[in-house]
Amino acid sequence: MKNSSDMTTSRPRLTVIGTGYLGATHAAAMAELGFEVMGVDVDPDKIDRLSQGILPFHEPELPELLTKHLSTGRLRFTTSIEEAGAFGDIHFIAVGTPQKDGEGAADLSYVDAAVEAIANAATHNCVIVGKSTVPVGTARRLQALVEKVKKTNVEISFAWNPEFLREGFAVQDTLAPDRLVVGTNSDLAITALRFVYQDALSRGTPFIATDFETSELVKVAANAFLATKISFINAFSEVTEKVGGDIRTLADAIGHDARIGRRFLNAGVGFGGGCLPKDIRALQARVGELGLDHTMAFLHEVDSINLRRRERVIDVAHSLLNGVNEKKIAILGTTFKPNSDDVRDSPALDIAARLYGQGADVRVFDPKGMENSAKRFPRLTYSRSLVDAVEGADLVLLLTEWEEFRKMDPNHIGGLVGSKVIVDGRNVLDVVEWESADWQYHALGRKSIHANPSILAT
Ligand code: NAD
């Protein structure tokens, strides 16, 4: 029977339930820290691939870690929750909490099922630690569920430890987080998690122990703040566009103020992915249930500003091409951000699909997102390369800022397209360089040299 001193004298064995972007990374990173880890998923194909060292998604540095720890024997995968219950001393819950169909609220059925299953399967005293992003109130409700379904001779401590990793930097963010937040009413859970994260703690990483509710709210507050910052600059880009100002200069200038900071002030087609959009909607839904709709009403506007950016790109395409029907449009990027293959709620893929729906001859290319994009929208034309996508294009839309697109040579690309017209949906290209190569350059919220030659002086 484990107690708090057992947790630190013998190494606890870990399980990670749910092996998607969060869970597979967490499992491999914990193995890297020296723990024996078992990854568990209900998707047999995913478990099969992970067991063979094949990562089912793109994440830099993770394939190497996966292969390494399948070899060291510290990492293994299973679909059997019973095996996990017999194996683990600390069980991390990393299953999805997607938006419910047709509603803003989070679908908690996966998290409920995973917690219930592992609590029921646990054969010895253990700690269950939620990492998924959940609406406030979930952890306390699940702790009561655990008490109801666990075996009578087993004691289970419960904690919520939200995850802040960024796709594209997930391994580094897991091994070296900028803070650790744990919501719990159990000293044993705190001791166990301090032990698991001792490597980061020894380097001075802040460890914030709090109640369940605060820990749940920290995660959604962080995402709401980031989403608001992006929509803030995008709202200003609507104004700079109207009056002929330059949003990048504005962002640089306000970003010099240390209270504001420059990060997350990049105007463009807005945010997407499996977290920010659904998390701000779930937060609004949850505060609505609490009778506090007005407190988060501004998030509705944050969401609307974000979605308007997609409309804006489509409007610009229509006006540049005098209607998009049968026009060849090269779409560069389908993932919601570079260095990921994640196309969940991706602005780029949404714009591509809508232009296709409006009759455009859309040619799509993304360095890593083609397979996921084709699963979602099989009817788009997927090009083999950047060169293939832009060949003969009437318009080029840069919608995800992959390094390959940022580094494009305007002279080389200019020799391939039908018309040298580009919309820089991420504000990452050098306007002077592109216009000097005779491109008609457009960016959201940013003037071109032709519109105002004074930009050359800056
Ligand atoms: P994902 O869809 O990639 O992975 C979820 C996995 O859980 C899937 O493999 C699914 O098969 C599995 N699963 C579902 N029910 C299960 C069950 N009962 N038992 C075992 N496995 C089960 O999702 P994700 O992006 O990894 O996100 C997971 C959670 O982490 C979400 O709450 C998300 O908001 C949060 N989060 C994600 C990120 C990110 O960057 N992806 C960052 C921080 C937090």
Side-chain angles (χ1 to χ4, degrees):
M1 185 180 273
K2 292 253 181 192
N3 58 38
S4 94
S5 66
D6 290 339
M7 283 282 179
T8 51
T9 47
S10 62
R11 260 181 185 269
R13 299 203 293 188
L14 315 183
T15 77
V16 181
I17 300 162
T19 56
Y21 288 92
L22 164 58
T25 308
H26 195 69
M30 294 302 108
E32 178 71 1
L33 293 176
F35 294 97
E36 270 192 76
V37 187
M38 183 180 282
V40 189
D41 206 289
V42 288
D43 178 344
D45 181 51
K46 198 171 268 188
I47 289 301
D48 204 37
R49 290 212 261 167
L50 286 166
S51 302
Q52 294 175 52
I54 303 165
L55 191 66
F57 54 89
H58 175 76
E59 182 60 45
E61 297 181 45
L62 193 51
E64 294 78 3
L65 224 53
L66 175 66
T67 319
K68 179 176 167 189
H69 293 298
L70 287 170
S71 306
T72 60
R74 291 212 287 268
L75 183 57
R76 74 193 84 164
F77 293 94
T78 182
T79 52
S80 165
I81 200 75
E82 284 73 28
E83 212 182 317
F87 173 87
D89 303 307
I90 303 177
H91 304 284
F92 290 99
I93 306 295
V95 301
T97 48
Q99 189 176 338
K100 276 186 189 163
D101 273 347
E103 282 181 54
D107 178 354
L108 297 175
S109 59
Y110 305 100
V111 97
D112 287 8
V115 168
E116 179 166 358
I118 193 62
N120 191 256
T123 56
H124 56 277
N125 293 357
C126 59
V127 185
I128 297 179
V129 182
K131 292 201 71 65
S132 306
T133 304
V134 291
V136 62
T138 306
R140 201 169 285 281
R141 178 176 63 75
L142 289 176
Q143 186 179 40
L145 177 69
V146 166
E147 288 305 311
K148 210 167 93 190
V149 302
K150 72 179 180 58
K151 296 179 173 55
T152 47
N153 61 337
V154 169
E155 283 172 29
I156 301 183
S157 302
F158 197 72
W160 215 263
N161 168 218
E163 178 58 55
F164 302 96
L165 68 79
R166 299 160 298 165
E167 284 175 26
F169 304 92
V171 171
Q172 279 316 309
D173 286 351
T174 308
L175 291 173
D178 47 19
R179 78 287 213 192
L180 291 155
V181 176
V182 177
T184 188
N185 45 24
S186 154
D187 291 341
L188 175 69
I190 295 283
T191 307
L193 286 168
R194 289 193 76 94
F195 186 79
V196 168
Y197 296 131
Q198 59 188 294
D199 189 60
L201 295 177
S202 69
R203 292 191 306 269
T205 305
F207 185 93
I208 297 150
T210 183
D211 50 78
F212 288 132
E213 289 74 15
T214 307
S215 69
E216 294 164 322
L217 283 170
V218 168
K219 173 63 191 176
V220 289
N223 278 357
F225 188 84
L226 294 173
T228 303
K229 207 170 171 191
I230 297 169
S231 280
F232 175 89
I233 201 68
N234 278 333
F236 267 89
S237 80
E238 294 184 17
V239 181
T240 52
E241 259 171 47
K242 187 85 180 174
V243 301
D246 189 283
I247 196 62
R248 226 164 70 161
T249 308
L250 184 148
D252 289 344
I254 63 170
H256 285 303
D257 184 332
R259 293 169 303 176
I260 296 172
R262 180 63 177 81
R263 300 181 70 191
F264 277 72
L265 284 182
N266 295 319
V269 295
F271 58 82
C275 291
L276 292 195
K278 65 127 172 117
D279 288 350
I280 61 168
R281 291 169 199 153
L283 175 57
Q284 289 172 83
R286 183 64 186 130
V287 296
E289 285 167 10
L290 296 169
L292 296 170
D293 312 64
H294 56 286
T295 56
M296 296 292 156
F298 72 96
L299 287 177
H300 178 73
E301 196 50 40
V302 166
D303 206 0
S304 305
I305 293 165
N306 192 51
L307 296 175
R308 270 210 304 275
R309 295 289 74 195
R310 304 177 188 188
E311 295 289 345
R312 176 70 186 141
V313 174
I314 292 166
D315 287 351
V316 169
H318 274 269
S319 91
L320 288 172
L321 296 172
N322 205 10
V324 298
N325 196 30
E326 293 184 10
K327 301 285 170 48
K328 287 186 186 152
I329 303 182
I331 306 251
L332 305 184
T334 57
T335 53
F336 84 100
K337 65 154 148 177
N339 303 318
S340 172
D341 64 351
D342 196 344
V343 299
R344 290 178 287 186
D345 210 342
S346 166
L349 192 55
D350 186 22
I351 291 167
R354 281 152 75 172
L355 285 170
Y356 170 82
Q358 292 164 12
D361 175 3
V362 167
R363 317 273 173 88
V364 174
F365 177 68
D366 188 283
K368 296 288 175 196
M370 303 292 267
E371 199 182 321
N372 284 342
S373 307
K375 273 188 218 150
R376 194 151 296 199
F377 292 112
R379 290 163 78 181
L380 301 180
T381 303
Y382 292 95
S383 303
R384 287 183 310 275
S385 64
L386 163 59
V387 164
D388 191 23
V390 299
E391 191 86 56
D394 299 310
L395 173 67
V396 178
L397 299 182
L398 193 172
L399 299 181
T400 313
E401 67 276 33
W402 285 93
E403 192 62 19
E404 180 179 353
F405 305 150
R406 297 171 83 121
K407 284 194 324 218
M408 285 187 299
D409 174 0
N411 290 306
H412 175 58
I413 303 293
L416 303 168
V417 292
S419 297
K420 292 207 248 180
V421 188
I422 186 162
V423 175
D424 177 1
R426 293 290 181 178
N427 266 299
V428 289
L429 300 178
D430 183 334
V431 54
V432 175
E433 192 190 353
W434 281 76
E435 293 199 340
S436 304
D438 289 330
W439 279 78
Q440 198 183 328
Y441 171 91
H442 299 266
L444 300 184
R446 197 165 157 209
K447 63 198 168 195
S448 71
I449 305 169
H450 300 313
N452 185 346
S454 68
I455 196 169
L456 286 169
T458 59

